[in-house]
Amino acid sequence: MSSFFTVPASQRKRKHEDSNSTAPSAKRRTNFKTTAKTQKPKLARAKRDESISGSGSEDEPKRKKASDDDGEHSSESEDEDETGAERRLRLAERYLENIRGEVDQVGINAEEIDRDLIAERLQEDVAETKGRLYRRIALEFDFPKASMTYFRALSHTITSIAICAPHVYTVSKDTILIKWELAEPPPPPLSKPRKPLKKPLPLPARRPTKLLYTKGSKAGSQASSYMHHTSAILTVAASSTGKFVATGGADKRLIIWSSADLTALRVFSQHRDAVTSLSFRRGTNQLFSASKDRTIKTWSLDELAYVETLFGHQDEVVDVATLAQERCVSVGARDRTARLWKVADETQLVFRGGGGGKSGDGKMKPRFSDKNVAAPHARTYAEGSIDRVALIDEETFITGSDNGSICLWTLHKKKPIFTVPVAHGLDMTLALEQASAEEATAREIRAEPQPRWITALATVPYSDLVLSGSWDGCVRVWKVSTDKKRIEAVGVLGKEGASAEGQEVKVRGVINDLGVFERGERGKQGICVVAGVGTEHRFGRWKPVEGKNNAVVFEVPKMEGGRVEGSPAMVQEEALKGDVEE
C-alpha cells in the first residue's frame, strides 16, 4: 500500500500543481473578479463605439469626400482611444465648422448680427434703468394716415382719461367712471389689391366697447360711509400692474377702485381741497396725488395706506407726473414753478417760469433769446400759470402754460432750455360785448387775440415723442431733438383750424387730457392716442367751446421704410427750421 512516504517526489509535485489549478486561492479569485469588472466597461464602450461607427457607415458614400479631405487627421483620431462622448463632440464641432463655411460663402455673419442685437438690447436696458432718453421713434409713424374713431356715453365734459392697454378709463363732471376696451387696430392695406367685389365687405368695428360703468350721487355727501364721489371727478389714473384704478374729485376724495369690477376698495379724505391730478409710479402700486390745498401726497396701494405729504408750492398744484424712479414732477399753477421731488432723499428742485411781460418803457420784453425760441412771434405773451407737465425721461420734462408755450426743461438748469411760443396758435378776436362788461362808451375798446392754453400733454416714456392738445381742433405732435435741446414739430392728428376760420375741424371741443401707448412690442404695430374732449375746461367754465363731450381714438400706423423725404412731417419740420434761421 502506497503512502506519502513511498510515492516518488516527482509525482508528489505534479499532484500538488493539479490541486492548485483545480482549486484557486482566494487571492487569485479576487484578482479574477476585479479583472472581470474592468473588462465590462471596455466591452460596453466598444459596443457603443461600434454602434456609432455603424450608424455612420450607412451614410458612408455621402461623407466619403469629407473623409478623404480629413486625411491623416481622421486616421490619427481613429487610432486614439476615443470615447463615444468625445466622438460625438468632435462630430458636432465639425458640423458647426461646415455651417460657418456656408454662411461665410453667402456673406452673412450670424455671430456679428447676434452680437449687435444683444449689445443694442443691453444698451436699451441700461438706459431705461438709468432713466435716460434712448429711443428715437417720432419719425417712424405716419401721422397723416392715422384713423380716427369717436366714442362716448351720456355724460358731461370728460375731464381725464387713463390707459392700461387694452383698457381705457374715462371720468366726467357728472361723477361717472367708465371702463372701455379698445378694439384691435385695422389691418394694413394689401400690397396687391384684389378684384373689386360686387358688394363691399363691411369694415371691422373699431369703436371701443363699454365694459363697466359706475356713477356717484350728490346726495351721498351727507353720509360719511358713502363709497363714491359726490362732486365732479377731475382726474383718473390706472396702475401699470393692472390691479388698481384711482380717481380724485372736487369733493376732496381720493377713491381706490378694483380694476376688475370697479368696486370701491378705499376712500381717502386726507386732502383739504379738490384732488386735481394722480400719477402711478411705473411698475409699482405707489401713487402720487396733487391737490388744490398746495400739497402732494404719496400712497402705498399694496397696503391701501397713506405715506407722507410733500410741501413747497405757493399755489394750488394742478398736475403731477412720475416714471420709474421714486420721484415726481409737479406744477403749481400761478406760482409759476415746476418742482422735482426726490422722495427718497427728501429734497426738491425748484424750476421757475414766468416772464414775458412789459418792461418799464411799456414795450414787450422777450422771455428768451431767439436761439432758445422756435419761430419767435412779433409779440410775446406773459405767462400767468403753468398748467401741465409730462416727463420725457428721469432728467427731462416739458410743461404747458396758459400763454400757449411749451417749455423743455432739464435737471441741470433752473430755466427752460427751449420754448415753443403760441404752440396752438391764437384764438379768435372777441366781440366788444365779450371783451368788456361795461356799456359802450365813446372810447372804442380794442380786443386783441389771445393764445390758446395748453390743456393737455402726453409723452411716450423714454422716447422723443411728445403730444399736446388745446381747442384748435387737433392734437399736435412734437419730437425732442437728438441733442435734447430743442422741440421740433412733426405733424398733427386731426385737421387744423376753427370752424369760424372756414376750415373743417375734426376734434371739436377742449382736449382736457391725452393718453398714448404703443401697439405691439416697442411700437411695431404703431401707436394709439386717446383724447378726452369736452365743451369746457376740466376745472371751470371760463372758456366754453362749441363741440361734443366725447373721446377720440387715433390709430397711427408705422411708416414703411422710416422717414420719407417730402412727407408732410418733413415739410413742416423744414419750414419750422427755416423760420428759426431767419
Side-chain angles (χ1 to χ4, degrees):
M1 184 177 181
S2 63
S3 64
F4 175 78
F5 297 100
T6 59
V7 175
S10 59
Q11 293 183 5
R12 290 201 303 270
K13 186 175 182 180
R14 194 181 303 113
K15 190 175 183 180
H16 179 69
E17 291 177 356
D18 294 341
S19 61
N20 290 341
S21 62
T22 56
S25 62
K27 184 176 181 180
R28 291 189 62 184
R29 283 198 300 270
T30 305
N31 294 335
F32 178 77
K33 291 180 180 180
T34 54
T35 53
K37 288 181 180 180
T38 55
Q39 288 176 359
K40 286 182 179 180
K42 291 184 178 180
L43 293 175
R45 186 182 303 168
K47 290 180 180 180
R48 186 163 57 251
D49 293 346
E50 290 177 2
S51 62
I52 293 173
S53 60
S55 60
S57 63
E58 296 176 359
D59 299 331
E60 189 66 26
K62 298 181 181 179
R63 295 196 296 269
K64 184 177 181 180
K65 186 177 181 180
S67 62
D68 294 337
D69 295 337
D70 292 342
E72 296 179 357
H73 177 72
S74 60
S75 61
E76 291 176 0
S77 62
E78 291 175 358
D79 295 338
E80 295 176 357
D81 188 11
E82 189 179 32
T83 63
E86 292 174 350
R87 182 180 178 83
R88 286 192 294 269
L89 180 61
R90 181 170 56 83
L91 294 176
E93 290 177 350
R94 186 185 300 175
Y95 173 76
L96 292 176
E97 290 177 359
N98 296 335
I99 293 296
R100 291 193 188 98
E102 294 177 1
V103 171
D104 292 339
Q105 292 177 2
V106 177
I108 300 175
N109 192 345
E111 183 178 359
E112 185 177 352
I113 293 175
D114 292 341
R115 190 186 302 112
D116 294 341
L117 293 175
I118 294 172
E120 182 180 359
R121 188 59 181 267
L122 289 175
Q123 290 176 359
E124 292 179 355
D125 293 341
V126 171
E128 185 173 2
T129 303
K130 294 183 177 180
R132 296 176 181 173
L133 181 69
Y134 66 94
R135 285 196 297 161
R136 307 288 175 183
I137 63 173
L139 299 179
E140 296 180 359
F141 302 104
D142 197 351
F143 293 99
K145 294 184 179 180
S147 62
M148 186 174 62
T149 305
Y150 294 93
F151 67 96
R152 60 168 299 181
L154 297 178
S155 62
H156 290 179
T157 297
I158 294 179
T159 56
S160 182
I161 63 172
I163 297 178
C164 182
H167 300 118
V168 175
Y169 301 88
T170 61
V171 293
S172 58
K173 288 189 175 182
D174 51 354
T175 67
I176 293 179
L177 169 62
I178 305 177
K179 179 180 179 180
W180 307 80
E181 183 178 5
L182 293 174
E184 292 295 327
L190 298 175
S191 57
K192 295 182 180 180
R194 297 177 179 177
K195 295 181 180 179
L197 301 176
K198 295 182 179 179
K199 186 177 181 181
L201 297 175
L203 295 175
R206 298 194 301 270
R207 192 181 301 273
T209 305
K210 183 167 67 173
L211 300 180
L212 298 171
Y213 172 96
T214 178
K215 183 177 180 180
S217 175
K218 294 182 179 180
S221 59
Q222 300 177 358
S224 59
S225 60
Y226 185 64
M227 301 286 286
H228 213 297
H229 287 282
T230 59
S231 185
I233 305 177
L234 302 179
T235 179
V236 62
S239 64
S240 58
T241 59
K243 186 177 180 181
F244 298 105
V245 177
T247 57
D251 54 359
K252 311 176 187 178
R253 291 188 173 192
L254 169 62
I255 303 180
I256 310 301
W257 309 81
S258 171
S259 61
D261 53 0
L262 291 187
T263 301
L265 303 177
R266 186 73 181 273
V267 178
F268 296 103
S269 57
Q270 277 84 346
H271 281 292
R272 298 183 179 181
D273 208 335
V275 181
T276 56
S277 181
L278 297 170
S279 180
F280 274 97
R281 183 181 165 197
R282 283 170 63 94
T284 68
N285 291 322
Q286 184 179 7
L287 177 67
F288 295 91
S289 63
S291 173
K292 289 186 177 181
D293 61 3
R294 300 182 292 180
T295 65
I296 298 171
K297 296 184 184 296
T298 62
W299 314 81
S300 176
L301 298 193
D302 291 328
E303 294 83 14
L304 292 177
Y306 158 78
V307 179
E308 63 177 329
T309 302
L310 307 177
F311 297 92
H313 279 288
Q314 303 302 313
D315 195 23
E316 55 190 33
V317 187
V318 292
D319 201 6
V320 65
T322 184
L323 286 179
Q325 296 186 11
E326 195 174 1
R327 58 175 62 175
C328 67
V329 177
S330 61
V331 289
R334 294 196 174 274
D335 70 356
R336 291 175 292 186
T337 63
R339 296 174 185 257
L340 175 70
W341 308 85
K342 297 181 180 180
V343 179
D345 300 336
E346 297 183 353
T347 59
Q348 58 176 298
L349 299 177
V350 183
F351 305 88
R352 300 194 179 277
K358 292 184 178 181
S359 59
D361 55 359
K363 297 181 179 180
M364 300 302 297
K365 60 180 181 180
R367 177 179 174 184
F368 309 104
S369 60
D370 291 344
K371 66 179 182 178
N372 294 333
V373 180
H377 283 252
R379 175 180 175 180
T380 58
Y381 296 88
E383 185 179 56
S385 67
I386 304 178
D387 299 329
R388 281 298 193 176
V389 65
L391 278 164
I392 296 175
D393 56 34
E394 302 292 354
E395 298 180 354
T396 312
F397 63 95
I398 56 173
T399 58
S401 307
D402 63 348
N403 64 345
S405 62
I406 299 177
C407 299
L408 178 66
W409 306 74
T410 181
L411 300 188
H412 309 295
K413 290 189 177 182
K414 299 297 183 181
K415 290 290 184 178
I417 60 177
F418 191 80
T419 300
V420 181
V422 196
H424 283 260
L426 298 175
D427 208 355
M428 294 179 295
T429 303
L430 296 177
L432 295 179
E433 295 79 7
Q434 296 177 346
S436 176
E438 298 180 359
E439 296 180 358
T441 58
R443 183 174 59 86
E444 181 181 358
I445 302 175
R446 181 185 177 185
E448 297 181 354
Q450 297 296 319
R452 298 185 179 98
W453 313 338
I454 304 300
T455 57
L457 281 177
T459 62
V460 176
Y462 307 112
S463 74
D464 62 342
L465 183 61
V466 179
L467 305 172
S468 64
S470 186
W471 60 83
D472 59 341
C474 63
V475 177
R476 296 188 180 269
V477 186
W478 314 84
K479 79 178 184 71
V480 182
S481 61
T482 306
D483 56 359
K484 295 192 290 185
K485 294 182 179 180
R486 297 177 60 86
I487 301 177
E488 301 170 354
V490 175
V492 295
L493 295 174
K495 291 188 177 181
E496 303 181 57
S499 58
E501 299 175 1
Q503 296 184 6
E504 182 183 358
V505 177
K506 282 200 171 184
V507 184
R508 300 187 60 186
V510 181
I511 300 177
N512 284 319
D513 202 3
L514 286 171
V516 58
F517 69 96
E518 297 176 273
R519 293 281 194 182
E521 183 181 359
R522 296 185 180 271
K524 290 184 178 179
Q525 300 178 6
I527 59 173
C528 179
V529 181
V530 184
V533 186
T535 56
E536 58 193 28
H537 195 270
R538 66 188 184 117
F539 288 149
R541 306 189 66 182
W542 312 294
K543 183 65 181 177
V545 180
E546 294 184 1
K548 295 182 179 180
N549 299 320
N550 55 20
V552 187
V553 179
F554 296 95
E555 293 287 352
V556 185
K558 197 160 187 178
M559 187 178 296
E560 297 182 2
R563 187 173 181 172
V564 178
E565 296 290 340
S567 62
M570 175 71 74
V571 172
Q572 187 172 2
E573 184 180 354
E574 293 178 351
L576 180 59
K577 289 182 179 179
D579 294 340
V580 174
E581 292 176 357
E582 294 176 0

